[in-house]
Amino acid sequence: MGVGRDHQDSSLKCIPHNQMSVSPLTGVDAIHLATVLEDCVDQLSTLGHIMPASFEFRPDALEVVRGELSQLVDSQMQLETKYQSVLIKKIEMLGLTKNPVHLLDVEKDVLNAGRDLKNSTHVFGRTLKQNPLTADNLLKIQKDRTYVENIMTGTMTELVQKCNFQTLVDAVLAEKERKASLQSTIQKEQEGRKKLGILTDELVVVRQEKETAVQQRKEMISHLKDQLQEMKAKTNMEGKYIKKCADVSVAQSQKKVFLTEKEMKEKIEGLHNKTDEENRAHKEIVKFLQEHQADLEKKLDFWMEKYEVDKEAKQKELDTLKQTKAKDLEKLQELTKLYKEYEQIVVEDRIEKEKARRKTEQEAIELKSAIKMQAWWRGVMVRKGFGPFGKKKKKGKKGKKGKKGGKKGKKKK
């Protein structure tokens, strides 16, 4: 089984994933392979039933734990011993030689031993935190067994139904991709460790350079100390003079500082007084505003209640006005109808009166015209002497009286 799987993996490496396909098998080959897979599935199932859930209740559980712990402790002690020996070697090399190459090699050994000890300590601590008697240790084995059993079952079903094992190929490809991803992660971690080693080496070189620079600076410091002693001897008198000048300057500065401090204290006291006044004013303002706010809240409640009451009253008035408006509208319609009737009657009456007035005016104009015509005609008759106004012989007085009487009679007519 292991040789066949390795051969299959080596043959699958040469085929791209997007072109992976399996040609159908003959019926006999498919049955043979299905028989083998069935046997494998039965063995895996039996293994799953007989595997214990954990080592907690086994008689040899304590021996298993002791064996694992002894291995871890031995490994840890070996690494600690190695680290101590490398440190002792480094100390001896520092005392015996100053060759940077040998020191650099020893420093690399110390860093490598320290890194191994750190990783081992981390693994040791993580192992001590985990209880080996629980089911966590066997959980991964049980999961892998279930995974293989499922793949074998699917492959066997596909061989029986389709004479093909594409399921197995897909599972292998998926596992290979997962392992490739894991390998890529491991490779990246190794590259990171290499980079860390390179940076560590550079750090060692830089540290040695800094140590050399520090040594040079120490020598320079010792030389400068000697010069300083000489300068102290030369500048002793100058120091006394400068000290006196400094004392005078310090006294003046202290006087100025005292005066300034006094002024600042006065200012601070004034500011404290102002602060107290501001705080009192603030408290009074806050109190006033709170009282004003309470008053305004009371007024607000009063006006809100009044608003509600007035609103209800106005709503009632509005309803009443709406009813009155409806009634007035009906009455207005009736009055409008009656007004139109009366208006029609008035218009007819005005038309009749206008006709009567025009007739009266026409009659008056005709009468006036007739009077004028009569007056004009009488004037013509008088002037021309027509008719009764003609020339006649004079008769006696009686005749004149009769004539006058005739004129009067005509005028009366």
Side-chain angles (χ1 to χ4, degrees), residues 133-196:
L133 300 179
T134 60
D136 295 337
N137 293 324
L138 296 176
L139 183 61
K140 185 177 184 305
I141 299 173
Q142 193 67 254
K143 188 183 294 184
D144 293 340
R145 185 201 60 77
T146 305
Y147 176 70
V148 174
E149 184 180 355
N150 292 332
I151 292 174
M152 292 299 178
T153 304
T155 306
M156 181 179 66
T157 304
E158 190 174 9
L159 284 170
V160 173
Q161 294 178 357
K162 301 180 181 179
C163 296
N164 198 349
F165 54 95
Q166 186 65 35
T167 302
L168 180 60
V169 175
D170 294 340
V172 171
L173 290 176
E175 188 67 19
K176 286 175 70 65
E177 289 179 356
R178 188 183 67 81
K179 288 184 177 180
S181 177
L182 182 60
Q183 188 66 28
S184 176
T185 304
I186 294 171
Q187 187 176 1
K188 288 180 180 178
E189 184 179 359
Q190 290 177 355
E191 291 177 357
R193 288 182 179 178
K194 290 180 181 178
K195 290 182 180 178
L196 181 61

Side-chain angles (χ1 to χ4, degrees), residues 297-389:
E297 288 178 354
K298 291 179 181 178
K299 289 183 179 180
L300 178 63
D301 296 336
F302 170 74
W303 284 109
M304 288 299 293
E305 292 176 359
K306 186 176 180 182
Y307 166 74
E308 294 294 336
V309 173
D310 293 344
K311 182 181 178 182
E312 292 178 358
K314 293 299 180 182
Q315 187 65 36
K316 291 180 181 179
E317 291 181 3
L318 181 62
D319 296 337
T320 305
L321 289 174
K322 286 182 179 179
Q323 295 176 0
T324 307
K325 180 182 178 181
K327 294 179 180 179
D328 293 342
L329 183 62
E330 293 178 357
K331 189 174 181 181
L332 177 63
Q333 291 177 354
E334 293 177 358
L335 292 174
T336 304
K337 185 176 180 182
L338 184 62
Y339 173 76
K340 288 181 180 180
E341 293 177 356
Y342 285 167
E343 185 179 12
Q344 187 176 2
I345 293 170
V346 170
V347 169
E348 291 178 355
D349 182 63
R350 286 180 180 177
I351 291 170
E352 293 295 331
K353 287 182 179 180
E354 184 67 21
K355 288 181 180 179
R357 184 183 64 78
R358 289 181 179 179
K359 185 177 180 182
T360 304
E361 289 179 356
Q362 186 68 27
E363 288 178 355
I365 291 169
E366 290 178 355
L367 178 61
K368 188 175 179 181
S369 299
I371 291 170
K372 287 182 178 181
M373 289 294 292
Q374 287 177 0
W376 174 76
W377 179 247
R378 285 175 182 167
V380 171
M381 289 178 69
V382 171
R383 286 192 300 271
K384 299 292 184 179
F386 295 147
F389 300 102

